[in-house]
Amino acid sequence: MFFASDNWAGAHPNIAAGLSANAGGFSTAYGDGALDQAVYQRFSEIFEREVAVFFVATGTAANSLALTAYNKPGGVSFAHRESHVIEDECGAPVYFSGGSRLHEIDGALGKIDPHNLERTIGRFAPEIVHWGRPMAVSITQSTEVGTIYGLDEIETIAAIAKRYSVPLHMDGARFANALVALDTSPAEMTWKRGVDILSFGGTKNGCWCAEAIVLFDLDRARELAFLRKRAAQLFSKSRFVAAQFEAYFKDGLWLDTARHANAMAARLAAAIEDSATAKLAWLPQANEVFAVIKKAEAEKLQAAGAAFYDWHKPHGFDGHISEDELLYRFVTSFATTADEVDRFGQLIA
């Protein structure tokens, strides 16, 4: 019963087979091989326009380099106060950019409130040298608490970013989970709504180690190529990242794995709603489920083989948590089985 993180799941068998199939022979290095080029083209087909694609090893590298692509002296990037770039990347975006700042924006359950963004970004007048100047806005899709920005919400935030002449970055570590939940297309969820640059995650959804920066603003591509190299993220044998993405996209595998993960989250949420010992904190929208459980009961569940983590109370959560309770996060993946969920459901019934 592994619900600690989708990072705990292994590689999907089709992706492992893709790696094996490309393990032999020779191929041009540093992203210039035939397989690399084919995967770049596949990204463009998926997003319905020409895009520039840069393979990297981790989501942190993708986010950090994406923001650094728009770096400027005194630059300030705006993100939700509980976003991954602010809370979970050890200052990497600041480090990679050479000292730009991250500014927290409030909003309920992981999503930036547009009014708070407008009010905050407006205080950083670019002509005032003392304060710094806006550099980028970053949103997470799906968010750290499993919520999803609707298409109109993305467009609203993008419009604010455009008014202040800064790009909109999307942290898509769980991009596919949000995409299938909204039942939309990659183009509709990104550039058609005003997104300029995307951190495209595959690792949480069945890949072994495959992340990419997808750049819709092609004028930035040459600079980003140099930034990636300087950040030690240019792989010589990049065909092994390309092989993962090739298998990931083939026959819609990436969408199927995301749908399965989301379905298992919905199944788990239903079990929690029926439970006598756990309370669903809010309805899941993707593949993360949050529940309020007594600490003693949670320890029993973990002792019985269930893996999950306690979580901080997010901004905007108005549910009651007693002194003897905690908020806990459960994450499902392509590898989660209905049997795992049902066995956990029996434990909390």
Side-chain angles (χ1 to χ4, degrees), residues 56-66 89 96 213 233:
V56 294
T58 67
T60 294
N63 289 338
S64 300
L65 290 174
E89 295 183 348
F96 275 76
I213 302 167
Q233 289 291 315

Side-chain angles (χ1 to χ4, degrees), residues 74-235:
V76 182
S77 295
F78 302 86
H80 191 273
R81 67 164 53 254
E82 293 152 0
S83 64
H84 204 272
V85 294
I86 287 181
E87 287 207 337
D88 295 290
E89 295 183 348
C90 198
V94 175
Y95 174 78
F96 275 76
S97 65
S100 71
R101 286 179 288 159
L102 296 170
H103 199 287
E104 300 173 344
I105 305 294
D106 281 333
L109 296 181
K111 296 196 293 184
I112 286 176
D113 183 302
H115 300 292
N116 291 337
L117 175 63
E118 182 93 60
R119 185 171 61 249
T120 304
I121 197 172
R123 296 205 306 263
F124 288 82
E127 67 274 12
I128 306 296
V129 71
H130 306 286
W131 301 342
R133 51 186 172 164
M135 185 177 97
V137 175
S138 178
I139 60 174
T140 310
Q141 182 78 323
S142 56
T143 73
E144 295 303 299
V145 294
T147 53
I148 293 173
Y149 287 92
L151 301 183
D152 290 345
E153 292 177 302
I154 297 171
E155 196 165 42
T156 296
I157 291 174
I160 296 170
K162 299 300 179 287
R163 280 200 292 276
Y164 290 91
S165 301
V166 297
L168 177 60
H169 163 252
M170 178 180 283
D171 175 357
R174 295 186 174 95
F175 183 87
N177 300 96
L179 188 72
V180 299
L182 290 176
D183 191 23
T184 190
S185 70
E188 285 291 346
M189 202 170 79
T190 54
W191 64 269
K192 287 188 177 182
R193 301 291 163 166
V195 174
D196 297 286
I197 190 166
L198 166 70
S199 298
F200 183 93
T203 304
K204 294 181 187 295
N205 194 35
C207 291
W208 167 69
C209 182
E211 307 286 316
I213 302 167
V214 179
L215 189 56
F216 305 108
D217 177 6
L218 298 181
D219 291 339
R220 296 275 170 171
R222 181 164 174 77
E223 289 301 312
L224 187 50
F226 281 90
L227 288 170
R228 180 179 61 166
K229 173 62 176 179
R230 191 174 66 174
Q233 289 291 315
L234 176 60
F235 306 123

